[in-house]
Amino acid sequence: MKVTNPTASAGPTLANGADNRIVTATGASALNGESNLTFDGNSLVLTDAVSDTSAGTFIAMDVDFDKTGASTSNNTMIGLNLDMDNTTANSGDNTMTGIKVTPTLNQSGAGTVTLKGIEVVATGDTAPETSTVRALDLTATGGDYTQGIYIATDDGNGWDLKIVSSADAS
């Protein structure tokens, strides 16, 4: 990173991050990143510990990806693309998990608790000639025993699978 002619009053203030790998810039003329971030380590860990007793919404990672301008041809937008490959698994028990989400909520006292592992909200528009809105599209291929959806619940007190249609209020 090259900083040209920084001054104490107008230029950015630079501080080394953990292990001298991340630099933070603050001040009126702080540096703006307008390029891709390439990380060449084994893992990227985001740590966020919120210590706030007030009501609020706290977001650990927020990705806002917008395309502007009218399209004159075909488009595909992908907000998050994960590609994993294990070139050789010769023996042993091998497991690959593309995305693992483990929310844990412990509540004591009064109140209502709703814990969602994943929430997907897909919102479309009926203006084009053909419009399909699908909140979840699963494809399972290959393998000796292919499962499109596997659901395991442990309480037995409610629904293991519940599908509610907007056309059926009951």
Side-chain angles (χ1 to χ4, degrees):
M1 173 183 290
K2 180 179 179 184
V3 178
T4 340
N5 195 16
T7 63
S9 61
T13 301
L14 300 177
N16 285 333
D19 298 321
N20 294 322
R21 294 182 183 179
I22 299 292
V23 174
T24 56
T26 59
S29 60
L31 305 172
N32 290 319
E34 298 292 336
S35 184
N36 295 329
L37 171 66
T38 301
F39 180 77
D40 62 358
N42 290 330
S43 64
L44 174 63
V45 177
L46 302 176
T47 303
D48 189 6
V50 176
S51 174
D52 191 330
T53 59
S54 302
T57 301
F58 306 100
I59 299 172
M61 185 170 91
D62 191 12
V63 177
D64 186 355
F65 175 41
D66 300 314
K67 179 191 172 297
T68 59
S71 298
T72 59
S73 185
N74 300 338
N75 286 286
T76 300
M77 292 179 67
I78 299 173
L80 178 62
N81 187 33
L82 173 65
D83 180 14
M84 296 171 49
D85 299 301
N86 184 359
T87 57
T88 303
N90 288 329
S91 63
D93 295 331
N94 297 281
T95 302
M96 290 181 78
T97 302
I99 297 175
K100 181 178 181 181
V101 180
T102 57
T104 303
L105 174 62
N106 297 313
Q107 178 173 345
S108 62
T112 302
V113 173
T114 302
L115 177 63
K116 301 176 183 181
I118 296 176
E119 179 177 5
V120 178
V121 178
T123 305
D125 192 352
T126 58
E129 294 80 26
T130 303
S131 177
T132 301
V133 178
R134 185 178 298 133
L136 186 60
D137 192 347
L138 303 173
T139 304
T141 61
D144 295 325
Y145 185 61
T146 303
Q147 300 173 338
I149 298 175
Y150 175 79
I151 300 172
T153 57
D154 65 0
D155 67 358
N157 295 323
W159 295 87
D160 287 340
L161 179 63
K162 181 178 182 180
I163 299 173
V164 179
S165 170
S166 61
D168 182 9
S170 62

